[in-house]
């Protein structure tokens, strides 16, 4: 049974935080160990350009994200880990797919509609104000990311499901118009993924500025944990662990037994100060080893670059052959290109012509032999067949010597056939 391809993109616009790790990185790395799947992970640096025009931030984020995934144990021998911009086939495929995609489909994209609605709500006459073509058409780039490797499964949040449906639409239109080259991908939404709370209790997000950087220093980690919002319950008063950001973060890292023990302490009235200290010490111990590895990698970015180049080589072993097929299917071909089917038809025609020529030659031979029947009758009637055959050949050769042009050619053909037929007597 062939492996299914799972593809995940990571946008390079920020520093990885604990929410990224728990919600995406950790489950993705665990899934990449499953031998039933062929996992592809890429730094989506072209996507970063859609909203972020700070080159230093994009470049720094690429470094940090690559180092983070490696520090957390991604096995690049099992998974393909690459940078989107190292695969030139992706932007080329994006253009080909752009020419297959209706504007109406892009008009329905959530991000574009949200920008239009925001402009309308603020009373702007130009509803496309601030909308770049990157924002408008980035679902096509996302489609190219997916279809370039004929990915079967795309793990996404609910807000990204529409883009997978768009990728299916684009693939279907290409397949119908040109050639059936693309699989129709399936979105994988993990309903079990829990919301990772930030410092203020809301979802941990750069948008809310409530994140805890995954590999910040111990001092900064302690400082950020101390900022986590709690209620006013005093020490000794039972605390609700299910509504506590402190407990929820603890339980995301802890095993079942440790989480159960900590839950009991909350019910027994642990002080918030003690709860924060416990969380800091636990997270710091959990993150210390990968943090050290992360800083090693950030200090030797040549090693990280080498890993990405190795991943690009693996990825292009898949992307180049497929793009060749896509280009040919769309008509982007060498001038002397002959389609395989047409080539087979030409070969079949040649073989058929050879058979026809052979049949025609055999018919011509039989016709000439019929005209020479009197010579064969003479040989059959003679007592010395060999002598008679030799005599006939002499007579025919003498006749040939007296003729010119077409008559001579006809006589030469007859002499050739007689020589072949009488060979049995004259050897």
């Amino acid at each position: 049974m062939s492996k299914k391809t799972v593809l995940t993109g990571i946008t390079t616009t920020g520093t990885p935080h604990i929410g990224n790790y728990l919600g995406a990185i950790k489950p993705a790395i665990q899934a990449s160990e499953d031998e039933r799947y062929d996992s592809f992970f890429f730094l989506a640096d072209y996507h970063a350009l859609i909203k972020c025009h700070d080159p230093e931030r994009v470049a720094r984020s690429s470094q940090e994200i690559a180092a983070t995934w490696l520090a957390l144990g991604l096995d690049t021998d099992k998974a393909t880990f690459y940078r989107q911009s190292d695969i030139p086939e992706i932007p080329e495929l994006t253009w080909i797919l752009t020419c297959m995609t209706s504007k109406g489909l892009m008009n329905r994209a959530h991000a574009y509609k949200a920008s239009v609605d925001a402009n309308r709500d603020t009373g702007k006459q130009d509803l496309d104000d601030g909308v770049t073509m990157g924002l408008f058409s980035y679902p096509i780039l996302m489609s190219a990311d997916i279809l370039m490797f004929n990915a079967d499964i795309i793990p996404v949040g609910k807000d990204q499901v529409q883009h997978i449906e768009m990728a299916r639409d684009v693939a279907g239109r290409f397949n119908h118009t040109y050639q059936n080259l693309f699989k129709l991908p399936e979105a994988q939404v993990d309903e079990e993924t829990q919301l990772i709370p930030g410092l203020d209790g809301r979802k941990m997000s750069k948008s809310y500025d409530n994140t805890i950087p995954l590999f910040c220093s111990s001092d900064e980690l302690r400082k950020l944990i101390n900022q986590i919002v709690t209620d006013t319950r005093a020490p000794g008063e039972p605390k609700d662990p299910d509504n506590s950001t402190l407990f929820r973060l603890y339980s995301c890292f802890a095993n079942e037994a440790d989480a159960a023990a900590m839950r009991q302490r909350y019910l027994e009235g642990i002080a918030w100060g003690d709860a924060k200290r416990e969380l800091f010490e636990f997270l710091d111990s959990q993150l210390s080893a990968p943090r050290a590895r992360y800083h090693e990698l950030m200090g030797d970015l040549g090693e990280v670059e080498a890993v990405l180049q190795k991943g690009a080589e693996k990825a292009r072993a898949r992307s180049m052959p497929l793009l060749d097929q896509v280009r040919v299917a769309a008509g982007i071909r060498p001038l002397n290109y002959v389609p395989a089917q047409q080539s087979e038809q030409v070969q079949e025609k040649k073989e058929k012509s050879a058979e026809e020529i052979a049949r025609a030659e055999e018919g011509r031979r039989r016709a000439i032999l019929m005209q020479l029947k009197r010579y064969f009758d003479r040989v059959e009637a003679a007592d010395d067949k060999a002598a008679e055959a030799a005599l006939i050949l002499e007579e025919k050769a003498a006749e040939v010597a007296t003729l010119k042009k077409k008559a001579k050619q006809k006589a030469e053909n007859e002499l050739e056939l007689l020589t072949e037929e009488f060979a049995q007597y004259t050897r």
Side-chain angles (χ1 to χ4, degrees):
M1 182 178 179
S2 60
K3 292 184 178 182
K4 286 188 176 295
T5 298
V6 181
L7 182 138
T8 301
I10 313 111
T11 306
T12 55
T13 53
T15 299
H17 54 72
I18 284 178
N20 298 143
Y21 167 64
L22 295 172
I25 304 174
K26 182 180 178 181
I29 292 177
Q30 289 175 341
S32 71
E33 297 292 330
D34 192 329
E35 294 184 355
R36 294 175 299 170
Y37 302 103
D38 196 2
S39 296
F40 280 63
F41 303 106
F42 68 95
L43 306 182
D45 49 354
Y46 281 145
H47 281 285
L49 301 181
I50 294 169
K51 291 186 177 180
C52 182
H53 299 154
D54 179 349
E56 296 307 317
R57 181 180 176 186
V58 172
R60 178 69 179 179
S61 179
S62 296
Q63 295 170 348
E64 292 175 341
I65 290 173
T68 294
W69 281 69
L70 296 177
L72 291 169
L74 177 66
D75 187 341
T76 56
D77 289 329
K78 294 181 179 178
T80 303
F81 187 49
Y82 60 98
R83 183 170 36 211
Q84 183 186 36
S85 57
D86 286 333
I87 315 299
E89 293 77 23
I90 290 174
E92 183 172 349
L93 178 60
T94 300
W95 176 249
I96 293 173
L97 297 181
T98 298
C99 296
M100 299 297 301
T101 304
S102 68
K103 180 177 179 291
L105 183 63
M106 293 298 95
N107 286 342
R108 297 192 289 275
H110 295 326
Y112 172 65
K113 289 175 66 177
S115 295
V116 170
D117 290 344
N119 285 333
R120 183 182 292 110
D121 292 344
T122 54
K124 291 184 178 179
Q125 290 187 337
D126 181 5
L127 297 182
D128 284 332
D129 182 58
V131 176
T132 65
M133 287 307 299
L135 174 65
F136 180 72
S137 62
Y138 90 90
I140 307 176
L141 175 57
M142 187 169 174
S143 296
D145 291 326
I146 295 167
L147 301 179
M148 189 78 268
F149 301 101
N150 264 328
D152 299 284
I153 301 170
I154 317 299
V156 291
K158 291 180 180 179
D159 60 331
Q160 293 289 316
V161 170
Q162 183 196 46
H163 295 139
I164 312 307
E165 293 300 323
M166 287 181 166
R168 290 171 61 89
D169 289 344
V170 172
R173 177 171 290 195
F174 181 97
N175 290 347
H176 177 73
T177 303
Y178 293 123
Q179 186 179 342
N180 190 18
L181 294 178
F182 296 123
K183 293 181 180 178
L184 304 187
E186 296 284 349
Q188 182 185 74
V189 180
D190 189 355
E191 302 291 349
E192 300 294 320
T193 300
Q194 56 184 310
L195 182 71
I196 310 302
L199 302 177
D200 56 3
R202 293 181 295 176
K203 175 185 176 182
M204 190 177 292
S205 170
K206 292 185 289 290
S207 302
Y208 299 145
D209 194 24
N210 67 350
T211 64
I212 301 175
L214 185 57
F215 293 136
C216 62
S217 67
S218 293
D219 288 343
E220 186 179 358
L221 179 60
R222 180 187 288 107
K223 178 181 176 182
L224 290 171
I225 288 176
N226 285 336
Q227 294 176 18
I228 292 176
V229 176
T230 58
D231 60 31
T232 57
R233 297 182 195 186
E237 284 189 76
K239 312 295 191 296
D240 180 2
D242 295 325
N243 288 315
S244 167
T245 297
L246 294 170
F247 176 77
R248 288 164 66 190
L249 286 174
Y250 184 95
S251 62
C252 285
F253 283 86
N255 58 38
E256 190 174 335
D258 289 339
M262 182 58 71
R263 171 181 287 275
Q264 186 59 35
R265 294 184 64 189
Y266 272 70
L267 297 175
E268 291 172 355
I270 186 174
W272 287 127
D274 290 338
K276 289 181 177 181
R277 178 179 52 78
E278 293 270 6
L279 177 61
F280 161 72
E281 292 176 353
F282 185 67
L283 292 191
D284 195 49
S285 66
Q286 293 283 312
L287 297 173
S288 60
R291 180 197 296 145
R293 177 58 179 153
Y294 169 80
H295 287 298
E296 284 180 14
L297 292 167
M298 289 298 290
D300 184 8
L301 289 169
E303 179 183 349
V304 181
E305 180 68 22
V307 171
L308 289 175
Q309 290 301 321
K310 171 186 159 187
E313 187 176 339
K314 287 172 63 178
R316 296 194 71 197
R318 289 269 294 265
S319 65
M320 288 190 291
L322 180 56
L323 184 64
D324 285 344
Q325 291 180 283
V326 170
R327 295 174 97 249
V328 166
I332 311 299
R333 309 166 181 169
L335 299 183
N336 60 349
Y337 172 81
V338 177
Q341 184 177 4
Q342 183 176 332
S343 177
E344 291 172 1
Q345 291 173 346
V346 169
Q347 182 61 29
E348 183 180 346
K349 185 175 181 180
K350 286 181 179 179
E351 292 173 356
K352 186 176 181 180
S353 298
E355 292 175 3
E356 291 173 346
I357 291 172
R359 286 198 298 271
E361 179 62 24
E362 182 60 28
R364 183 184 71 85
R365 180 187 177 87
R366 287 196 301 270
I368 295 174
L369 290 174
M370 289 179 63
Q371 295 174 14
L372 301 175
K373 184 175 182 300
R374 64 186 183 280
Y375 295 115
F376 295 107
D377 291 342
R378 280 176 55 184
V379 172
E380 286 298 319
D383 293 330
D384 187 345
K385 292 181 172 51
E388 187 65 22
L391 178 61
I392 292 172
L393 293 176
E394 288 177 9
E395 292 172 356
K396 198 66 180 175
E399 179 186 347
V400 168
T402 63
L403 299 174
K404 294 181 179 181
K405 295 185 179 180
K406 290 185 179 181
K408 183 174 185 177
Q409 181 64 54
K410 178 175 180 295
E412 286 177 342
N413 291 338
E414 293 175 346
L415 176 58
E416 182 180 349
L417 283 177
L418 287 170
T419 301
E420 291 177 5
E421 293 297 321
F422 291 163
Q424 58 182 316
Y425 304 118
T426 59
R427 286 174 187 161

